[in-house]
Amino acid sequence: LLHLLKEKKLNLKKMNNINIYLEANPNPNSLKFVTDKMLVDDGIIKDYPDKESATDSPLAKSLFDFEYIDRVFVMSNFITITKKPQVSWDNIKLELRNYLKKYLEEGNIILEPKKLKKKENIPDKEIDKKIIEVLEEYIKPAVEQDGGAIQFESFKKGTVKVSLQGACSGCPSSMITLKSGIEKLLKRFIPEVQEVVAEEI
């Protein structure tokens, strides 16, 4: 019996062992902490610009206790952390990696289950549908690879409004990407689009 219990404990440890690797992205103040397990369901995107906004995430709230953290973004199998500019990643990345590893392996809550809601953009116009399709197929995967997210907000008088989240928010190169990448692509596929503007959350 003792042998079986020991074996069970070992198996539990194996199950709870989480690997985290770090990925840089175009925002020098953001780092993507990628895990080998899903943290939240597909379609759920959570972006916290400060501790006060992290009402539904005990994980994000606890991360803001590190005084050098500026923003926390949670999606699928990764957490993007944005630090304050005056702090170097070399001094903090291992501390954060170890903290996240311990937090997740202990099975602590990432997001409150009751408050998990997928943000759904239900387009009411045909052109909105086209814009969302282009964003989903060509732009979203690249943005997510960089530790962020892009959401369609509206289309009025030739202007597409999107929201940028995670690493994209406040990134020096995100505006260049927006104009030379996203805007060009949308104009090519949809002639009615004249410009793309971003609002940060």
Side-chain angles (χ1 to χ4, degrees):
L1 187 68
L2 199 63
H3 171 70
L4 283 171
L5 280 170
K6 274 184 183 174
E7 205 172 283
K8 207 171 185 182
K9 269 189 182 176
L10 275 172
N11 286 339
L12 275 171
K13 274 188 180 174
K14 275 180 198 169
M15 273 170 63
N16 290 335
N17 185 35
I18 290 168
N19 293 308
I20 298 175
Y21 63 92
L22 279 52
E23 274 184 13
N25 60 69
N27 186 346
N29 292 319
S30 288
L31 205 54
K32 193 175 167 187
F33 293 78
V34 186
T35 73
D36 55 0
K37 66 167 255 183
M38 288 297 282
L39 303 174
V40 294
D41 291 341
D42 264 348
I44 289 170
I45 296 168
K46 292 286 180 178
D47 194 20
Y48 306 103
D50 49 42
K51 190 171 185 171
E52 291 67 41
S53 62
T55 52
D56 61 351
S57 175
L59 169 61
K61 205 178 273 184
S62 72
L63 282 167
F64 280 110
D65 289 337
F66 293 92
E67 57 187 23
Y68 47 74
I69 286 183
D70 221 16
R71 192 181 199 101
V72 177
F73 176 83
V74 185
M75 184 180 174
S76 59
N77 69 327
F78 68 88
I79 298 157
T80 300
I81 293 173
T82 306
K83 65 171 180 65
K84 288 184 165 52
Q86 60 270 28
V87 189
S88 165
W89 278 120
D90 291 339
N91 300 330
I92 61 171
K93 62 185 179 187
L94 278 180
E95 180 182 29
L96 286 173
R97 184 186 169 277
N98 293 339
Y99 176 79
L100 285 172
K101 186 173 167 65
K102 186 172 184 287
Y103 187 99
L104 296 170
E105 286 181 347
E106 285 174 356
N108 292 308
I109 295 168
I110 299 164
L111 295 176
E112 300 285 1
K114 284 180 196 167
K115 297 174 183 176
L116 287 184
K117 269 187 187 173
K118 292 185 184 185
K119 184 177 177 183
E120 285 185 37
N121 281 323
I122 300 161
D124 55 352
K125 295 186 291 237
E126 201 55 45
I127 193 152
D128 290 359
K129 286 178 190 169
K130 278 187 198 169
I131 292 165
I132 290 167
E133 275 171 26
V134 174
L135 288 175
E136 294 277 344
E137 194 173 338
Y138 298 97
I139 295 157
K140 269 193 176 183
V143 173
E144 285 168 17
Q145 190 66 40
D146 282 343
I150 184 168
Q151 297 275 356
F152 169 77
E153 296 297 333
S154 64
F155 175 71
K156 280 176 194 161
K157 295 177 183 173
T159 300
V160 176
K161 193 182 269 186
V162 295
S163 59
L164 296 173
Q165 298 167 292
C168 302
S169 183
C171 173
S173 63
S174 66
M175 286 305 120
I176 300 161
T177 306
L178 191 77
K179 291 293 172 188
S180 64
I182 299 165
E183 190 175 276
K184 265 187 185 172
L185 198 69
L186 281 170
K187 279 179 175 176
R188 199 170 80 210
F189 282 102
I190 305 155
E192 294 92 333
V193 172
Q194 290 164 23
E195 69 163 347
V196 179
V197 296
E199 57 177 35
E200 287 183 8
I201 290 175

Coordinates of all heavy atoms in Angstrom, one line a residue, residues 107-163:
G107 N -1.0 24.5 -8.6 CA -2.5 24.4 -9.0 C -3.3 25.6 -8.5 O -4.5 25.6 -8.4
N108 N -2.6 26.8 -8.3 CA -3.3 28.0 -7.9 C -4.1 28.5 -9.0 O -3.9 28.2 -10.2 CB -2.3 29.0 -7.5 CG -1.6 28.6 -6.2 OD1 -2.2 28.3 -5.2 ND2 -0.2 28.6 -6.2
I109 N -5.1 29.3 -8.7 CA -6.1 29.8 -9.6 C -5.5 30.9 -10.6 O -4.8 31.8 -10.1 CB -7.4 30.4 -8.9 CG1 -8.1 29.3 -8.2 CG2 -8.3 31.1 -9.9 CD1 -9.1 29.7 -7.2
I110 N -5.7 30.7 -11.9 CA -5.3 31.7 -12.8 C -6.4 32.7 -13.1 O -6.2 33.9 -12.9 CB -4.9 31.0 -14.2 CG1 -3.8 30.0 -13.9 CG2 -4.5 32.0 -15.2 CD1 -3.6 29.0 -15.0
L111 N -7.6 32.2 -13.4 CA -8.7 33.1 -13.6 C -9.9 32.5 -12.8 O -10.1 31.3 -12.8 CB -9.1 33.2 -15.1 CG -8.1 33.9 -16.0 CD1 -8.6 33.8 -17.4 CD2 -7.9 35.3 -15.7
E112 N -10.7 33.4 -12.2 CA -11.9 32.9 -11.5 C -12.9 32.3 -12.5 O -13.3 33.0 -13.5 CB -12.6 34.1 -10.8 CG -11.7 34.8 -9.8 CD -11.6 34.0 -8.5 OE1 -12.1 32.9 -8.4 OE2 -10.9 34.5 -7.6
P113 N -13.3 31.0 -12.3 CA -14.1 30.3 -13.3 C -15.4 31.1 -13.6 O -15.8 31.1 -14.8 CB -14.4 29.0 -12.7 CG -13.4 28.8 -11.6 CD -13.0 30.2 -11.2
K114 N -16.1 31.7 -12.6 CA -17.4 32.4 -12.9 C -17.2 33.5 -13.8 O -18.1 33.9 -14.5 CB -17.9 32.9 -11.5 CG -18.5 31.9 -10.6 CD -19.0 32.6 -9.4 CE -19.2 31.6 -8.3 NZ -19.3 32.2 -7.0
K115 N -16.0 34.1 -13.8 CA -15.9 35.3 -14.6 C -15.3 35.1 -16.0 O -14.9 36.1 -16.7 CB -15.1 36.4 -13.8 CG -15.8 36.8 -12.5 CD -14.9 37.7 -11.7 CE -15.6 38.0 -10.4 NZ -14.8 38.8 -9.5
L116 N -15.0 33.8 -16.3 CA -14.4 33.6 -17.6 C -15.5 33.8 -18.7 O -16.4 33.1 -18.8 CB -14.0 32.1 -17.7 CG -12.7 31.8 -16.9 CD1 -12.3 30.3 -17.1 CD2 -11.6 32.6 -17.2
K117 N -15.2 34.8 -19.5 CA -16.1 35.0 -20.7 C -15.3 35.3 -21.9 O -14.3 36.1 -21.9 CB -16.9 36.3 -20.4 CG -18.2 36.0 -19.7 CD -19.1 37.2 -19.6 CE -20.3 36.9 -18.7 NZ -21.1 38.1 -18.5
K118 N -15.7 34.7 -23.0 CA -15.0 35.0 -24.2 C -15.5 36.3 -24.8 O -16.7 36.5 -24.7 CB -15.3 33.8 -25.2 CG -14.7 32.5 -24.9 CD -14.9 31.5 -25.9 CE -14.3 30.1 -25.5 NZ -14.4 29.1 -26.5
K119 N -14.5 37.1 -25.3 CA -15.0 38.3 -25.9 C -15.4 38.0 -27.3 O -14.6 37.5 -28.1 CB -13.8 39.3 -25.9 CG -14.2 40.7 -26.4 CD -13.2 41.7 -26.4 CE -13.7 43.0 -27.0 NZ -12.7 44.0 -27.1
E120 N -16.6 38.3 -27.6 CA -17.1 38.0 -28.9 C -17.5 39.2 -29.7 O -18.3 40.0 -29.2 CB -18.4 37.0 -28.8 CG -17.9 35.6 -28.4 CD -19.1 34.7 -28.4 OE1 -20.0 34.8 -29.3 OE2 -19.2 33.8 -27.5
N121 N -16.9 39.3 -30.8 CA -17.3 40.4 -31.7 C -18.3 39.8 -32.7 O -17.9 39.0 -33.6 CB -16.1 40.9 -32.5 CG -15.2 41.8 -31.7 OD1 -15.8 42.6 -30.9 ND2 -13.9 41.8 -31.8
I122 N -19.5 40.3 -32.6 CA -20.5 39.8 -33.5 C -20.7 40.9 -34.6 O -21.4 41.9 -34.3 CB -21.8 39.4 -32.8 CG1 -21.5 38.3 -31.8 CG2 -22.9 38.9 -33.8 CD1 -22.5 38.1 -30.7
P123 N -20.2 40.6 -35.8 CA -20.3 41.7 -36.8 C -21.7 41.8 -37.3 O -22.4 40.8 -37.5 CB -19.4 41.2 -37.9 CG -19.3 39.7 -37.7 CD -19.5 39.5 -36.3
D124 N -22.2 43.0 -37.5 CA -23.6 43.2 -38.0 C -23.6 43.6 -39.5 O -24.6 43.6 -40.1 CB -24.3 44.3 -37.2 CG -23.5 45.6 -37.1 OD1 -22.4 45.6 -37.6 OD2 -24.1 46.6 -36.6
K125 N -22.4 43.9 -40.0 CA -22.3 44.2 -41.4 C -21.4 43.3 -42.2 O -20.4 42.8 -41.6 CB -21.8 45.7 -41.6 CG -22.7 46.7 -41.0 CD -22.2 48.1 -41.3 CE -21.0 48.4 -40.5 NZ -21.0 49.6 -39.7
E126 N -21.6 43.1 -43.5 CA -20.8 42.2 -44.3 C -19.3 42.6 -44.3 O -18.4 41.8 -44.2 CB -21.4 42.2 -45.7 CG -21.0 41.0 -46.5 CD -21.3 39.7 -45.9 OE1 -22.4 39.5 -45.4 OE2 -20.4 38.8 -45.9
I127 N -19.1 44.0 -44.4 CA -17.7 44.4 -44.4 C -17.0 44.2 -43.1 O -15.8 43.8 -43.1 CB -17.6 46.0 -44.8 CG1 -16.2 46.3 -45.1 CG2 -18.2 46.9 -43.7 CD1 -16.0 47.4 -46.1
D128 N -17.7 44.3 -42.0 CA -17.1 43.9 -40.7 C -16.7 42.5 -40.7 O -15.6 42.1 -40.2 CB -18.1 44.1 -39.5 CG -18.4 45.6 -39.3 OD1 -17.9 46.4 -40.0 OD2 -19.3 45.9 -38.4
K129 N -17.5 41.6 -41.2 CA -17.2 40.2 -41.3 C -15.9 40.0 -42.1 O -15.0 39.2 -41.7 CB -18.3 39.4 -42.0 CG -19.5 39.2 -41.1 CD -20.6 38.4 -41.8 CE -21.9 38.4 -41.0 NZ -23.0 38.0 -41.8
K130 N -15.8 40.7 -43.2 CA -14.6 40.6 -44.1 C -13.3 41.0 -43.3 O -12.3 40.3 -43.4 CB -14.7 41.4 -45.3 CG -15.5 40.8 -46.5 CD -15.4 41.7 -47.7 CE -16.5 41.4 -48.7 NZ -16.6 42.5 -49.7
I131 N -13.4 42.1 -42.6 CA -12.3 42.7 -41.9 C -11.9 41.6 -40.8 O -10.7 41.3 -40.7 CB -12.6 44.0 -41.2 CG1 -12.8 45.1 -42.3 CG2 -11.5 44.5 -40.2 CD1 -13.5 46.4 -41.8
I132 N -12.8 41.1 -40.1 CA -12.5 40.1 -39.0 C -11.9 38.9 -39.6 O -10.9 38.4 -39.1 CB -13.8 39.8 -38.2 CG1 -14.2 41.0 -37.4 CG2 -13.6 38.5 -37.3 CD1 -15.6 40.9 -36.8
E133 N -12.4 38.4 -40.8 CA -11.8 37.3 -41.4 C -10.3 37.5 -41.8 O -9.4 36.6 -41.5 CB -12.5 36.9 -42.7 CG -13.7 36.1 -42.5 CD -14.6 35.9 -43.8 OE1 -14.0 36.1 -44.9 OE2 -15.8 35.7 -43.6
V134 N -10.0 38.7 -42.3 CA -8.6 39.0 -42.6 C -7.7 39.1 -41.4 O -6.6 38.5 -41.3 CB -8.5 40.3 -43.4 CG1 -7.0 40.7 -43.7 CG2 -9.2 40.2 -44.8
L135 N -8.2 39.7 -40.3 CA -7.5 39.8 -39.0 C -7.3 38.4 -38.5 O -6.1 38.1 -38.1 CB -8.3 40.6 -38.0 CG -8.4 42.1 -38.3 CD1 -9.3 42.8 -37.2 CD2 -7.0 42.8 -38.2
E136 N -8.3 37.6 -38.5 CA -8.2 36.2 -37.9 C -7.1 35.4 -38.7 O -6.3 34.7 -38.1 CB -9.5 35.5 -38.0 CG -10.6 36.1 -37.1 CD -10.6 35.6 -35.7 OE1 -9.9 34.6 -35.4 OE2 -11.2 36.3 -34.8
E137 N -7.2 35.4 -40.0 CA -6.4 34.5 -40.8 C -4.9 35.0 -41.0 O -4.0 34.2 -40.9 CB -7.0 34.4 -42.2 CG -6.4 33.2 -43.0 CD -7.1 32.9 -44.3 OE1 -8.3 33.3 -44.4 OE2 -6.4 32.3 -45.1
Y138 N -4.7 36.3 -41.2 CA -3.4 36.8 -41.5 C -2.7 37.5 -40.4 O -1.4 37.6 -40.4 CB -3.5 37.7 -42.8 CG -4.0 37.0 -44.0 CD1 -5.3 37.2 -44.4 CD2 -3.1 36.3 -44.8 CE1 -5.8 36.5 -45.5 CE2 -3.6 35.6 -45.9 CZ -5.0 35.8 -46.3 OH -5.4 35.1 -47.4
I139 N -3.4 38.2 -39.5 CA -2.8 39.1 -38.6 C -2.7 38.5 -37.1 O -1.7 38.5 -36.5 CB -3.5 40.4 -38.6 CG1 -3.2 41.1 -40.0 CG2 -2.9 41.4 -37.5 CD1 -4.2 42.1 -40.4
K140 N -3.8 37.9 -36.7 CA -3.8 37.4 -35.3 C -2.7 36.5 -34.9 O -2.1 36.6 -33.9 CB -5.2 36.8 -35.0 CG -6.2 37.8 -34.4 CD -7.4 37.1 -33.8 CE -8.3 38.1 -33.2 NZ -9.5 37.5 -32.6
P141 N -2.4 35.4 -35.8 CA -1.4 34.5 -35.4 C 0.0 35.1 -35.2 O 0.7 34.8 -34.3 CB -1.3 33.5 -36.6 CG -2.7 33.6 -37.3 CD -3.1 35.1 -37.1
A142 N 0.3 36.1 -36.0 CA 1.6 36.8 -35.9 C 1.6 37.7 -34.6 O 2.7 37.7 -33.9 CB 1.9 37.7 -37.1
V143 N 0.5 38.3 -34.3 CA 0.4 39.2 -33.1 C 0.5 38.3 -31.9 O 1.2 38.6 -30.9 CB -0.9 40.0 -33.1 CG1 -1.1 40.7 -31.8 CG2 -0.9 41.0 -34.3
E144 N -0.1 37.1 -31.9 CA -0.1 36.2 -30.7 C 1.3 35.7 -30.5 O 1.8 35.5 -29.4 CB -1.1 35.1 -30.9 CG -2.6 35.6 -30.7 CD -3.6 34.6 -31.1 OE1 -3.3 33.4 -31.3 OE2 -4.8 35.1 -31.2
Q145 N 2.0 35.4 -31.7 CA 3.4 34.9 -31.6 C 4.3 35.9 -30.9 O 5.2 35.5 -30.2 CB 3.9 34.7 -33.1 CG 5.2 34.0 -33.2 CD 5.1 32.5 -32.7 OE1 4.1 31.9 -33.0 NE2 6.1 32.1 -32.0
D146 N 3.9 37.2 -31.0 CA 4.7 38.2 -30.3 C 4.2 38.5 -28.9 O 4.6 39.5 -28.3 CB 4.6 39.5 -31.2 CG 5.6 39.5 -32.3 OD1 6.5 38.6 -32.3 OD2 5.4 40.3 -33.3
G147 N 3.3 37.7 -28.4 CA 2.8 37.9 -27.0 C 1.7 38.9 -26.8 O 1.6 39.4 -25.7
G148 N 0.9 39.1 -27.9 CA -0.1 40.1 -27.7 C -1.4 39.6 -28.4 O -1.5 38.5 -28.8
A149 N -2.3 40.6 -28.6 CA -3.6 40.3 -29.2 C -4.1 41.5 -29.9 O -3.8 42.6 -29.5 CB -4.6 39.8 -28.2
I150 N -4.9 41.3 -31.0 CA -5.5 42.4 -31.7 C -7.0 42.0 -31.8 O -7.4 40.9 -32.1 CB -4.9 42.6 -33.1 CG1 -5.5 43.8 -33.8 CG2 -5.0 41.4 -34.0 CD1 -4.7 44.3 -35.0
Q151 N -7.9 43.0 -31.5 CA -9.3 42.8 -31.6 C -9.9 43.9 -32.5 O -9.6 45.0 -32.4 CB -9.9 42.9 -30.2 CG -9.5 41.9 -29.2 CD -10.2 40.6 -29.2 OE1 -11.2 40.5 -30.0 NE2 -9.8 39.7 -28.5
F152 N -10.8 43.4 -33.3 CA -11.6 44.4 -34.2 C -12.6 45.1 -33.3 O -13.3 44.5 -32.5 CB -12.3 43.6 -35.3 CG -13.3 44.4 -36.0 CD1 -12.9 45.4 -37.0 CD2 -14.7 44.3 -35.8 CE1 -13.8 46.1 -37.7 CE2 -15.6 45.1 -36.5 CZ -15.2 46.0 -37.4
E153 N -12.6 46.4 -33.4 CA -13.6 47.2 -32.6 C -14.7 47.8 -33.5 O -15.9 47.6 -33.1 CB -12.9 48.4 -31.8 CG -11.8 47.9 -30.8 CD -12.4 47.1 -29.7 OE1 -13.6 47.3 -29.4 OE2 -11.7 46.2 -29.1
S154 N -14.3 48.5 -34.6 CA -15.4 49.1 -35.4 C -14.8 49.5 -36.8 O -13.6 49.5 -37.0 CB -15.9 50.3 -34.7 OG -14.9 51.3 -34.6
F155 N -15.8 49.7 -37.7 CA -15.4 50.2 -39.0 C -16.4 51.3 -39.4 O -17.6 51.1 -39.5 CB -15.4 49.1 -40.1 CG -15.2 49.6 -41.5 CD1 -13.9 50.1 -41.8 CD2 -16.2 49.8 -42.4 CE1 -13.7 50.6 -43.1 CE2 -16.0 50.2 -43.7 CZ -14.7 50.7 -44.0
K156 N -15.8 52.6 -39.5 CA -16.7 53.7 -39.8 C -16.0 54.6 -40.8 O -14.8 54.9 -40.6 CB -17.1 54.5 -38.6 CG -18.2 53.9 -37.8 CD -18.4 54.7 -36.5 CE -19.3 53.9 -35.5 NZ -19.2 54.4 -34.1
K157 N -16.7 55.0 -41.8 CA -16.1 56.0 -42.8 C -14.7 55.7 -43.3 O -13.8 56.5 -43.2 CB -16.2 57.4 -42.2 CG -17.6 57.9 -42.0 CD -17.7 59.2 -41.3 CE -19.1 59.7 -41.0 NZ -19.2 60.9 -40.3
G158 N -14.5 54.4 -43.6 CA -13.2 54.0 -44.1 C -12.1 53.7 -43.1 O -11.0 53.3 -43.4
T159 N -12.4 54.0 -41.8 CA -11.4 53.8 -40.7 C -11.8 52.5 -39.9 O -12.9 52.4 -39.4 CB -11.4 55.0 -39.8 OG1 -11.0 56.1 -40.5 CG2 -10.4 54.8 -38.7
V160 N -10.8 51.6 -39.8 CA -10.9 50.4 -39.0 C -10.3 50.7 -37.7 O -9.1 51.2 -37.6 CB -10.2 49.2 -39.6 CG1 -10.2 48.0 -38.7 CG2 -10.8 48.9 -41.0
K161 N -11.0 50.5 -36.6 CA -10.5 50.7 -35.2 C -10.2 49.3 -34.6 O -11.1 48.5 -34.6 CB -11.5 51.5 -34.4 CG -10.8 52.0 -33.1 CD -11.8 52.8 -32.2 CE -11.8 54.2 -32.5 NZ -12.7 55.0 -31.6
V162 N -9.0 49.1 -34.1 CA -8.7 47.8 -33.5 C -8.1 48.2 -32.1 O -7.7 49.3 -31.8 CB -7.6 47.0 -34.3 CG1 -8.1 46.6 -35.6 CG2 -6.3 47.8 -34.4
S163 N -8.2 47.2 -31.2 CA -7.5 47.4 -29.9 C -6.3 46.4 -29.8 O -6.3 45.3 -30.3 CB -8.5 47.1 -28.7 OG -9.0 45.7 -28.8

